[in-house]
């Protein structure tokens, strides 16, 4: 059996579908209010902040995927994320279950360096510090030999359905609502965005590749690393109309943070939009050369089809 911990989001849902398509029908869905994604899924509703529930959640599982997300709230992250991950790690060790840890890039420096699996952690802000500690917790378990685990790391998302990201919010949601698009800080810096179904497919592939464990893997992105100006131009071509946008300077976010909690929570992520953000996925591409990465054109076409 393979178990998905935190399966209500886009990554968890796509992961469940991919596991069913290509690997197993014996899937357990775990979340606070668990719901089937495939007809054959079993469900287990649990608060993983309770250690006993975490142990029960992964019982009998060969592989557990940690795709759990929390709202963008630094206080909540500091109180919950480390506790939950610690419980999951203990549960996997007790049940002799492999752990696939789905990670983001918040712990990386935000200064224009090309990001590889070897990049040192230099977090900016409270959420980045939490993600650094979480990644190090998994890495330390791998190093100790007490847990068979692997880290799958993804940059900012864009994608269909439930995908939540700055790009989806400021660009694709705005298109759907016929509003002017917004771009954070700069439209000329190179970006690395991952198509959410690709992130889930790649995570399933790594989870079912025994020799991939004990390592960190950057999941695959469109290699063009185009900037937002080019991204919006491509979207305009696909949507068949000129999509106008404005670049939001840093002071707009600073003012917004005074009145809006979400804007305040986003501020520590802004430096990455001031610099090129290149995510090096060459390790994955070399190991899995047959994996078909969704390019921006195909991704945007799928989003358009879903919206209309």
């Amino acid at each position: 059996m393979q178990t998905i911990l935190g399966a209500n989001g886009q990554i968890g849902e796509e992961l469940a579908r991919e596991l069913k398509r290509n690997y197993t029908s014996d899937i357990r869905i775990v979340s606070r209010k668990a719901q089937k994604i495939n007809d054959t899924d079993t469900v287990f509703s649990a608060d993983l902040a309770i250690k006993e529930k975490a142990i029960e959640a992964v019982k009998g599982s060969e592989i557990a995927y940690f795709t759990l997300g929390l709202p963008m709230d630094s206080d909540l992250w500091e109180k919950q994320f480390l506790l939950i991950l610690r419980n999951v790690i203990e549960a996997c060790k007790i049940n002799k279950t492999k752990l696939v840890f789905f990670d983001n890039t918040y712990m990386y420096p935000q200064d224009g360096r090309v990001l590889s699996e070897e990049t040192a952690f230099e977090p900016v802000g409270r959420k980045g510090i939490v993600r650094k500690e979480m990644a190090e917790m998994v890495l330390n378990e791998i190093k100790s030999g007490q847990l068979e685990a692997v880290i799958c790391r993804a940059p900012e998302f864009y994608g269909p359905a439930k995908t939540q990201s700055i790009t989806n919010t400021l660009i694709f949601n705005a298109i759907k609502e016929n509003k002017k698009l917004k771009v954070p800080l700069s439209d000329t810096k190179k970006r690395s965005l991952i198509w959410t179904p690709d992130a889930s497919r790649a995570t399933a592939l790594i989870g079912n590749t025994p020799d991939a464990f004990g390592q960190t893997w950057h999941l695959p992105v469109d290699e063009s690393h185009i900037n937002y100006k080019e991204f919006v131009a491509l979207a305009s071509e696909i949507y068949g109309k000129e999509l106008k946008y404005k670049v939001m300077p840093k002071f707009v976010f600073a003012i917004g943070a005074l009145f809006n909690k979400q804007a305040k929570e986003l501020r520590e992520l802004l430096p990455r939009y001031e610099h090129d953000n290149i995510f090096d996925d060459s390790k994955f591409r070399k190991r899995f050369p047959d994996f078909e990465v969704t390019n921006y054109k195909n991704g945007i076409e799928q989003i358009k089809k879903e919206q209309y």
Side-chain angles (χ1 to χ4, degrees), residues 240-258:
K241 59 183 178 181
E242 183 184 2
L243 298 169
K244 297 185 182 297
Y245 69 93
K246 62 180 178 181
V247 176
M248 298 175 67
K250 193 184 294 186
F251 79 85
V252 172
F253 288 93
I255 293 170
L258 298 174

Side-chain angles (χ1 to χ4, degrees), residues 54-305:
I55 293 169
E56 197 175 345
V58 302
K59 189 175 182 180
S61 305
E62 178 193 355
I63 303 169
Y65 298 84
F66 187 100
T67 63
L68 186 143
L70 291 175
M72 292 289 278
D73 181 325
S74 295
D75 291 336
L76 183 64
W77 282 34
E78 289 168 352
K79 290 174 185 173
Q80 291 279 305
F81 248 150
L82 293 170
L83 170 64
I84 291 170
L85 180 58
R86 193 174 296 113
N87 288 345
V88 167
I89 286 172
E90 285 304 308
C92 287
K93 288 159 76 170
I94 289 168
N95 288 294
K96 295 181 169 52
T97 300
K98 294 180 181 180
L99 176 63
V100 179
F101 179 66
F102 188 86
D103 202 7
N104 65 25
T105 60
Y106 289 10
M107 75 295 294
Y108 282 148
Q110 299 185 28
D111 58 6
R113 272 177 270 182
V114 174
L115 303 175
S116 76
E117 290 89 348
E118 306 305 317
T119 300
F121 296 165
E122 296 177 23
V124 175
R126 293 165 65 190
K127 286 181 282 293
I129 291 171
V130 171
R131 295 303 306 201
K132 170 182 179 285
E133 291 176 355
M134 292 173 74
E136 288 178 342
M137 196 184 297
V138 177
L139 291 170
N140 288 337
E141 291 293 340
I142 291 172
K143 191 174 180 180
S144 74
Q146 294 185 51
L147 177 69
E148 194 168 358
V150 63
I151 295 176
C152 298
R153 186 165 292 141
E156 186 188 336
F157 303 147
Y158 83 108
K162 292 183 177 180
T163 300
Q164 294 184 18
S165 70
I166 290 176
T167 297
N168 262 55
T169 299
L170 298 183
I171 292 180
F172 295 111
N173 291 3
I175 294 173
K176 187 176 183 180
E177 296 165 7
N178 288 313
K179 294 180 179 177
K180 192 169 186 178
L181 282 56
K182 297 172 184 175
V183 167
L185 274 59
S186 172
D187 62 350
T188 60
K189 301 301 182 184
K190 294 181 179 295
R191 312 294 314 149
S192 298
L193 302 174
I194 191 165
W195 177 246
T196 46
D198 282 3
S200 297
R201 287 195 302 121
T203 298
L205 175 59
I206 288 170
N208 287 277
T209 303
D211 66 11
F213 280 75
Q215 306 171 59
T216 297
W217 295 87
H218 276 189
L219 303 180
V221 299
D222 183 316
E223 285 186 297
S224 64
H225 305 292
I226 61 177
N227 60 39
Y228 273 127
K229 185 176 183 178
E230 296 163 329
F231 190 82
V232 174
L234 179 58
S236 295
E237 183 183 318
I238 291 166
Y239 278 82
K241 59 183 178 181
E242 183 184 2
L243 298 169
K244 297 185 182 297
Y245 69 93
K246 62 180 178 181
V247 176
M248 298 175 67
K250 193 184 294 186
F251 79 85
V252 172
F253 288 93
I255 293 170
L258 298 174
F259 307 99
N260 184 289
K261 189 177 191 307
Q262 187 177 25
K264 182 180 179 181
E265 292 290 345
L266 285 173
R267 284 191 71 188
E268 69 184 60
L269 306 179
L270 291 179
R272 70 187 61 215
Y273 296 94
E274 290 183 290
H275 307 279
D276 287 344
N277 184 247
I278 307 281
F279 188 76
D280 179 2
D281 62 2
S282 56
K283 176 181 174 179
F284 180 95
R285 287 176 179 270
K286 185 176 180 181
R287 176 63 180 81
F288 303 104
D290 296 330
F291 187 96
E292 291 190 18
V293 180
T294 303
N295 61 38
Y296 286 132
K297 181 176 184 294
N298 289 339
I300 295 171
E301 284 174 345
Q302 288 186 54
I303 293 172
K304 180 193 173 189
K305 185 184 293 185

